[in-house]
Amino acid sequence: LPAARAERYARDWRLPEDTARLFAYEPEWGDYFERVEGDARTVANWVTELRARADSPAAVEPAALSKLVALVEARTVTAGNGRVVLDRLLADGGDPAEIVEREDLGAMGDSGELAGIVAKVIADNADVVERIKGGNTKAMGALVGPIMRETKGKADGGEVNRLIREQLGI
C-alpha cells in the first residue's frame, strides 16, 4: 500500500518525506526509482528531475539514468551538465558517457586551469573582492557566475568556491 511504501522509502532509503510520498503514490515512478542504481538520495533527485521533464519514466532506461548518476557522483560531469545530458537522453536516447564525450560536457579536471581562471576573474573584479573581504560573502556569487561562464559550466561549483576562498585568504 502507498502509505507503507512511503514509510519504507523514508525509513530504509532515508528519502525526504515529500519524495517518499511522491514515489509511493505514483507507483510507476516509485518502481522506476527502485530500478536505478546509485546513492538513494541522489537517485531520487535525478528521478524527480526526470519526472519534471517527462510524462513517463519509460522515456529513459533505468540503466541510462544509473550511468548518469554514476557520472555525476564521480564528478565526471557537473550537475548542471548532467541536466543537459538528461535532456539529450530524453530527446535521442543513448549512452550518457558517450553524450558527455561527444558534446564535451565533462567536468574540468584538477589541473591548474581552473585556478588560473579564478585568479583572472578575481583580478578583473576588484570591487567585488573588496565587498567580500569586507564581510559580504554573498558577493562571491558575482565571481562564481563569470567563472562558470568562462568554463562553460564545466567547473564544480564547490571547487570554484573553495578556490575563491583560498585565493582571497578567507
Side-chain angles (χ1 to χ4, degrees):
L1 294 173
R5 194 174 193 185
E7 182 181 328
R8 184 169 49 91
Y9 286 148
R11 182 190 63 237
D12 297 347
W13 284 315
R14 297 191 172 144
L15 296 184
E17 193 174 313
D18 291 346
T19 306
R21 263 186 284 162
L22 170 81
F23 292 161
Y25 287 90
E26 293 186 15
E28 68 278 5
W29 288 102
D31 293 344
Y32 183 84
F33 161 75
E34 291 184 28
R35 294 191 347 245
V36 177
E37 297 176 13
D39 171 71
R41 290 179 73 105
T42 305
V43 168
N45 287 338
W46 283 98
V47 171
T48 303
E49 196 72 45
L50 174 62
R51 183 179 170 272
R53 291 169 160 75
D55 295 331
S56 162
V60 173
E61 288 294 320
L65 192 62
S66 296
K67 287 180 183 180
L68 176 57
V69 168
L71 291 170
V72 173
E73 285 180 330
R75 294 194 165 146
T76 304
V77 66
T78 64
N81 280 346
R83 288 182 196 87
V84 173
V85 173
L86 183 59
D87 289 338
R88 300 301 185 272
L89 288 171
L90 281 165
D92 306 321
D95 179 76
E98 289 175 9
I99 294 168
V100 168
E101 182 70 28
R102 180 179 66 237
E103 298 193 21
D104 193 28
L105 296 171
M108 291 186 81
D110 289 337
S111 70
E113 182 182 6
L114 181 57
I117 292 169
V118 170
K120 179 187 179 303
V121 170
I122 286 173
D124 292 347
N125 292 280
D127 57 327
V128 176
V129 170
E130 287 306 313
R131 289 196 323 234
I132 295 168
K133 286 186 175 182
N136 183 359
T137 56
K138 290 182 180 181
M140 281 180 36
L143 298 177
V144 173
I147 293 167
M148 295 306 271
R149 274 191 297 282
E150 184 74 24
T151 64
K152 295 180 177 76
K154 292 182 180 185
D156 176 67
E159 181 66 7
V160 167
N161 281 307
R162 186 191 71 75
L163 285 169
I164 291 171
R165 289 179 185 281
E166 179 181 286
Q167 291 186 21
L168 295 179
I170 59 170

